[in-house]
């Protein structure tokens, strides 16, 4: 199977889809800037009074449970139901899955409402979401992405979703199809919001291409290659964050195709 992630990036930038994010307080600014740098248009709307209207005009909905509250959970449920009714892609980021009973209950309730187009998280989150007994360290992973492959397959089968697991090697699963993306640098794990931005970028690709498996692969490759470019200019967390946004904005489809390390 031949795959051209640069073509998907070019389509994203041409369409510049509006991505509706219900995400956490910690990462809003960085996530919005990452979407802008990629070529998409972000909106952060959480009020129950407007989320259904916002979903109606958006290309995709990204739901991130990083900083939960009952009011936001209600908004997430309304937004996910509306997105499902309109056949808009939903990207679910199960931040901290397995860390607390409340977090697990919320995820169960959200998944009862609609099946996401893409579930994107770290290995510990994916294992917890699949029902495996796993130790978590807050929102950080304590397990490798490769070790979560069977859990990712189970989730994909259960919900009909593409499951994207971040790690030293990103693992993307859709049914019996598996892809591995070997791009990225370890410093990316020391920047708050990098994973959350990866979910938002997956939403941007899914909004502009309805093959969600390929969209998830292209998103992972774009994030990883941008991280590698940024690391050439910045090796400390503060400067790396800015360099990453610059790299995401300047990466060309040709550069992505030449540099992406994708195994299908």
């Amino acid at each position: 199977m031949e795959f051209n992630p640069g073509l998907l990036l070019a389509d994203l930038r041409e369409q510049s889809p509006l991505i509706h994010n219900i995400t956490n307080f910690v990462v809003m600014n960085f996530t919005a800037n990452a979407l802008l740098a990629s070529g998409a248009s972000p909106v952060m709307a959480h009020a129950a009074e407007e989320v259904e209207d916002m979903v109606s005009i958006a290309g995709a909905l990204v739901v991130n449970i990083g900083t939960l509250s009952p009011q936001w959970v209600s908004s997430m449920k309304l937004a996910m139901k509306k997105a499902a009714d309109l056949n808009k892609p939903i990207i679910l980021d199960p931040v901290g899955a397995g860390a607390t009973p409340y977090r697990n209950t919320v995820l169960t309730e959200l998944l009862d409402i609609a099946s996401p187009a893409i579930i994107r998280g770290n290995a510990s989150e994916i294992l917890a979401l699949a029902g495996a007994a796993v130790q978590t360290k807050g929102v950080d992973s304590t397990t490798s992405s490769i070790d979560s492959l069977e859990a990712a397959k189970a989730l994909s089968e259960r919900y009909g979703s593409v499951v994207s697991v971040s790690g030293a090697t990103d693992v993307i699963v859709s049914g019996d199809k598996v892809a591995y993306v070997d791009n990225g640098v370890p410093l990316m794990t020391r920047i708050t919001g990098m994973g959350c931005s990866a979910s938002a970028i997956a939403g941007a690709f899914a909004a502009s291409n309805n093959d969600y498996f390929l969209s998830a692969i292209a998103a992972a490759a774009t994030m990883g290659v941008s991280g590698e470019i940024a690391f050439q200019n910045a090796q400390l967390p503060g400067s790396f964050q800015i360099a990453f946004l610059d790299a995401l904005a300047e990466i060309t489809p040709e550069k992505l195709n030449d540099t992406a390390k994708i195994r299908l």
Side-chain angles (χ1 to χ4, degrees):
M1 175 184 177
E2 293 186 7
F3 175 43
N4 185 332
L7 181 61
L8 271 65
L9 178 61
D11 288 343
L12 187 166
R13 288 175 171 166
E14 181 178 356
Q15 297 179 39
S16 188
L18 178 67
I19 309 303
H20 179 189
N21 299 267
I22 302 180
T23 190
N24 69 76
F25 289 116
V26 180
V27 305
M28 279 190 205
N29 179 268
F30 186 64
T31 298
N33 281 328
L35 281 168
L36 286 168
S38 74
S41 180
V43 61
M44 275 56 184
H46 306 83
E49 291 80 3
E50 70 167 353
V51 290
E52 292 172 302
D53 292 329
M54 199 64 78
V55 167
S56 297
I57 63 173
L61 169 68
V62 179
V63 173
N64 175 306
I65 70 160
T67 52
L68 285 174
S69 72
Q71 294 81 6
W72 280 27
V73 172
S74 296
S75 295
M76 290 173 182
K77 291 177 179 178
L78 288 170
M80 286 182 65
K81 184 178 186 307
K82 187 68 172 180
D85 290 344
L86 296 174
N87 200 30
K88 301 281 183 81
I90 301 167
I91 289 73
L92 176 65
D93 191 331
V95 178
T100 68
Y102 178 57
R103 217 161 269 266
N104 296 341
T105 297
V106 167
L107 285 168
T108 298
E109 293 174 351
L110 293 177
L111 288 166
D112 283 343
I113 289 172
S115 293
I118 300 171
I119 300 171
R120 200 224 62 83
N122 64 41
S124 293
E125 292 161 351
I126 296 305
L127 283 162
L129 199 58
V134 60
Q135 284 188 323
T136 65
K137 188 178 72 175
V139 299
D140 296 324
S141 181
T142 57
T143 309
S144 79
S145 54
I146 302 299
D147 292 339
S148 69
L149 178 58
E150 293 306 316
K153 288 181 176 179
L155 275 180
S156 181
E157 182 176 346
R158 185 184 309 169
Y159 297 109
S161 306
V162 175
V163 179
S164 180
V165 191
S166 60
T169 294
D170 295 322
V171 179
I172 299 95
V173 175
S174 179
D176 60 356
K177 297 183 292 187
V178 182
Y180 302 91
V181 179
D182 293 312
N183 296 101
V185 294
L187 186 58
M188 295 174 76
T189 64
R190 300 189 51 206
I191 309 298
T192 297
M194 196 64 72
C196 302
S197 295
S199 296
I201 297 299
F205 276 100
S208 53
N209 184 292
N210 61 11
D211 187 322
Y212 301 136
F213 181 56
L214 297 184
S215 293
I217 298 169
T222 300
M223 290 289 298
V225 170
S226 296
E228 291 171 356
I229 294 170
F231 191 71
Q232 295 172 11
N233 301 312
Q235 289 82 48
L236 293 173
S239 54
F240 180 84
Q241 185 177 39
I242 302 302
F244 175 81
L245 292 174
D246 289 345
L248 190 56
E250 72 179 6
I251 187 173
T252 64
E254 294 76 18
K255 177 72 171 178
L256 181 58
N257 284 338
D258 291 343
T259 315
K261 300 173 186 174
I262 299 169
R263 293 177 282 134
L264 295 170

